[in-house]
Amino acid sequence: MVRPSIVGIVGKSDSGKTTLIEKLVPELNRRGLRVGTVKHDVHGFEMDREGKDSYRHKHSGARISLISSPSRIGMVRDVERDHTVKELAERYFDDVDLILTEGYKREHMPKVEVHRKELMRGLLSSPEDGLIALATNEPLRVEVPSFDLEDAPGLTQFLIDYFQLKSGDSDHEK
């Protein structure tokens, strides 16, 4: 089965994971790649605003509420358990080349860890549990390539090379 490549962007709270994803997505897009993202929230979430029709549909008891427009589809669906990134990729991401995840630090997958000197904390990941690169604002001795937090182009190229991605090509096996 053809699947998109998946990389977890991990790090401690307030390290800049979302900011890094916001820098990587346009870089990957500029290189012709189709990118999806998954944010994991163990506390639950509300996607729609109270009072909107889709919110009212879901809160009236619908198991699935979908909103569709000419440019977007959004869905809120009840589930009985937390799904793995692999399960989500197989079900919802068949038309992308690369999935960037945020918040799945315990799942075993290739990971890029975001580290900030100001937080004065150690790393969460090691190569044994999937660490493939580090994005940081301080020099650290690590066994994986290290990129400056502002070097989105360099990290993008690393990911393209690591996953052997070709622009607009989702036919690679992973």
Side-chain angles (χ1 to χ4, degrees), residues 61-89:
R63 182 168 166 77
I64 299 172
S65 177
L66 189 113
I67 185 166
S68 177
S69 77
S71 60
R72 293 188 182 120
I73 294 174
M75 177 180 67
V76 177
R77 178 184 183 135
D78 293 342
V79 295
E80 285 72 36
R81 63 178 175 78
D82 202 1
H83 287 72
T84 66
V85 175
K86 184 178 177 183
E87 290 170 326
L88 296 171

Side-chain angles (χ1 to χ4, degrees), residues 10-27:
V10 301
K12 305 238 170 120
S13 183
D14 296 323
S15 61
K17 299 177 296 289
T18 302
T19 301
L20 182 61
I21 288 171
E22 288 176 317
K23 292 175 183 176
L24 290 174
V25 170
E27 283 292 330

Side-chain angles (χ1 to χ4, degrees), residues 117-147:
K117 178 181 180 179
E118 301 81 27
L119 297 178
M120 298 188 307
R121 302 178 189 156
L123 296 179
L124 290 172
S125 307
S126 69
E128 290 74 34
D129 58 13
L131 185 66
I132 61 169
L134 185 66
T136 183
N137 63 350
E138 73 172 318
L140 293 174
R141 291 188 149 202
V142 291
E143 302 171 36
V144 297
S146 184
F147 297 87

Side-chain angles (χ1 to χ4, degrees), residues 24-36 156:
L24 290 174
V25 170
E27 283 292 330
L28 290 157
N29 286 338
R30 272 193 280 283
R31 297 174 195 221
L33 295 165
R34 299 166 299 178
V35 182
T156 296

